[in-house]
Amino acid sequence: MRNLFKMVALGAAVSFALQGCSLFSSEEDLNPMAPLPKVESAFTADTAWSSNVGDGIGDFYSQLKPVVEEDRIYAAARDGDVSAFDRASGDRLWTVDLADLPVNADKRSARLSGGLVSRYGKLFLGSENGVVYALNEENGEVLWQTNVPGEVVASPAVEDGRVVVLTTSGRLIALDTDEGKMQWSLSEEQPPLTLRSAGAPVITNGAVIYGRADGKVGIALLSNGQPVRQSKVADPRGATELDRMVDVDASPLMAGDELYAIAYNGQLMARKLMTGDEVWKRKYSGYRDLAMTGNAIVLTDSRSHLFAIDRRNGLELWSNTQLENRTVTAPVIFGDYVVVGDVEGYLYWLDRTDGTIKAMQQLDSSGLYAAPLVDGETLYVQSRDGKLYALKRP
């Protein structure tokens, strides 16, 4: 039964969900959303262009997000559409539908969920069907597709001729970037219940750093998958399996010689990257990726509260609880602002020095699910119904 059920965290609410089912359920009413904050917006970001990417992700859980490479931006939809756009004009350059491939012939759709990543002139992405793809960036041609044992809902990590994916079954897998052949596989025992998500692994200094469902961060050699070390972020506590979930589903964050990680039902911690020695730890619960600006780590916690933490000592610099249970995205730093989106399609611009909301605008009523993408003076945002927006820096 372990692999039949997964857990979905929706703000503070956690509801049972079958693999591939909708993100939303009636249980979200147990933790009502905070009303829209009353903000006299200092500005409204102008839309440079917008376009459509298939039917988006609908109501399904997904970590699909666009990626920029040179003069193009690439984006994908859950059912299988992958498109390339001109960054400046938004003109569509090509589209392919991965649902048409034989590997997906007996599936409801391609069920894309993990990606996109651009490297070596290729696009890499994965799916809930357990398929990893490599596409030619120039024309969308499928260069290879490889079946792996488990759903790939997080973005791959690509370096040194290897593409590394972390599946929801707890398996870390390395494929070669040229042909998609498996190089090695590392399996971790999974707790009875886990969040229905996974953090993208990170490659640095010849090692793969990845979050695990047992509350630890693992480190393995990129060359052969040999485990190097485990660093504990949180201990399972509580009377029920629900209480004991401590998934590390945010991608590990590195700065200098330190590693930062956060666990659901756990804490935020800083450790020395090379030795694993603990620097500090603080009580926060989250599963969204962290952002960094200067010496501050910015996070969205499991209740959609936002915090800035001094990365040198773990002291809280500011907090904002106005968006409670609005299923706020991971934060990004854009100029002087921390930017997040929410389930109703609102985009919020917070002062990065004190966390006050300086501006807000409803971008797309279908909702925003992935962190915006910062690219110089442009902010790209993808909505649930597949709309891709390019916003000018205010």
Side-chain angles (χ1 to χ4, degrees):
M1 295 293 289
R2 174 181 296 170
N3 292 328
L4 179 61
F5 290 97
K6 297 292 181 182
M7 302 305 299
V8 176
L10 182 59
V14 181
S15 58
F16 284 98
L18 287 174
Q19 290 188 5
C21 74
S22 172
L23 172 69
F24 301 104
S25 78
S26 59
E27 289 195 48
E28 62 185 312
D29 295 332
L30 298 175
N31 294 271
M33 290 191 301
L36 279 174
K38 296 180 180 179
V39 176
E40 186 174 340
S41 293
F43 56 83
T44 298
D46 294 329
T47 300
W49 57 262
S50 63
S51 191
N52 288 309
V53 185
D55 294 325
I57 67 164
D59 289 344
F60 291 90
Y61 173 81
S62 179
Q63 294 182 196
L64 279 178
K65 56 185 179 181
V67 64
V68 166
E69 181 64 23
E70 296 184 350
D71 59 351
R72 296 182 176 188
I73 179 168
Y74 303 90
R78 184 178 189 272
D79 285 348
D81 289 322
V82 183
S83 299
F85 302 90
D86 183 276
R87 282 170 58 192
S89 65
D91 292 340
R92 191 184 307 269
L93 304 175
W94 55 256
T95 295
V96 297
D97 188 356
L98 300 183
D100 293 337
L101 297 178
V103 71
N104 293 312
D106 61 343
K107 308 293 184 182
R108 290 176 293 174
S109 74
R111 300 203 299 170
L112 303 180
S113 185
L116 301 163
V117 174
S118 171
R119 197 71 196 274
Y120 306 129
K122 302 180 180 75
L123 293 175
F124 299 95
L125 66 159
S127 76
E128 296 171 30
N129 293 340
V131 184
V132 180
Y133 303 89
L135 278 61
N136 187 314
E137 286 185 354
E138 286 300 313
N139 53 24
E141 175 190 0
V142 178
L143 301 175
W144 53 258
Q145 69 256 354
T146 298
N147 289 89
V148 295
E151 297 177 315
V152 180
V153 300
S155 293
V158 185
E159 192 65 61
D160 291 341
R162 287 179 171 83
V163 52
V164 181
V165 296
L166 180 62
T167 71
T168 56
S169 60
R171 192 181 294 265
L172 190 70
I173 300 167
L175 312 172
D176 81 272
T177 55
D178 290 332
E179 299 180 344
K181 293 181 178 179
M182 186 177 294
Q183 302 296 296
W184 51 260
S185 175
L186 177 62
S187 182
E188 308 286 355
E189 185 176 352
Q190 293 286 87
L193 292 179
T194 67
L195 294 178
R196 185 176 169 73
S197 69
V202 176
I203 298 175
T204 182
N205 298 319
V208 183
I209 304 176
Y210 62 103
R212 300 177 10 171
D214 60 1
K216 298 174 183 177
V217 170
I219 301 179
L221 293 179
L222 176 61
S223 58
N224 57 17
Q226 178 181 343
V228 175
R229 189 174 64 247
Q230 303 172 4
S231 294
K232 185 181 296 183
V233 183
D235 287 309
R237 300 178 185 275
T240 69
E241 294 296 344
L242 190 65
D243 294 330
R244 294 170 60 82
M245 289 194 305
V246 287
D247 303 59
V248 180
D249 280 348
S251 293
L253 180 66
M254 266 74 68
D257 64 344
E258 292 185 350
L259 163 70
Y260 305 91
I262 190 170
Y264 184 77
N265 277 340
Q267 58 196 10
L268 173 71
M269 68 90 181
R271 289 184 181 272
K272 291 296 181 181
L273 183 58
M274 299 304 296
T275 65
D277 293 339
E278 184 179 290
V279 180
W280 53 260
K281 61 183 177 182
R282 299 290 184 269
K283 183 69 175 177
Y284 292 96
S285 171
Y287 57 95
R288 305 282 193 187
D289 285 350
L290 308 170
M292 184 174 294
T293 172
N295 286 319
I297 296 171
V298 184
L299 66 92
T300 302
D301 79 355
S302 55
R303 296 177 296 170
S304 290
H305 297 171
L306 286 127
F307 299 91
I309 312 298
D310 192 320
R311 72 178 184 88
R312 297 166 296 186
N313 51 32
L315 297 180
E316 191 171 295
L317 301 174
W318 56 257
S319 65
N320 187 306
T321 62
Q322 293 175 277
L323 307 178
E324 184 169 353
N325 295 334
R326 297 191 66 85
T327 319
V328 170
T329 69
V332 295
I333 310 302
F334 191 41
D336 295 330
Y337 303 98
V338 174
V339 184
V340 295
D342 78 3
V343 71
E344 291 188 329
Y346 285 89
L347 202 63
Y348 303 91
W349 307 71
L350 286 72
D351 189 312
R352 69 178 187 178
T353 62
D354 61 15
T356 57
I357 300 176
K358 295 299 185 181
M360 57 180 283
Q361 62 191 96
Q362 189 173 32
L363 195 63
D364 192 300
S365 61
S366 70
L368 308 178
Y369 69 97
L373 172 65
V374 176
D375 176 42
E377 300 296 308
T378 305
L379 189 73
Y380 296 102
V381 185
Q382 188 169 350
S383 72
R384 283 193 166 273
D385 67 359
K387 201 73 171 289
L388 180 64
Y389 297 88
L391 303 180
K392 297 179 180 179
R393 182 168 170 173

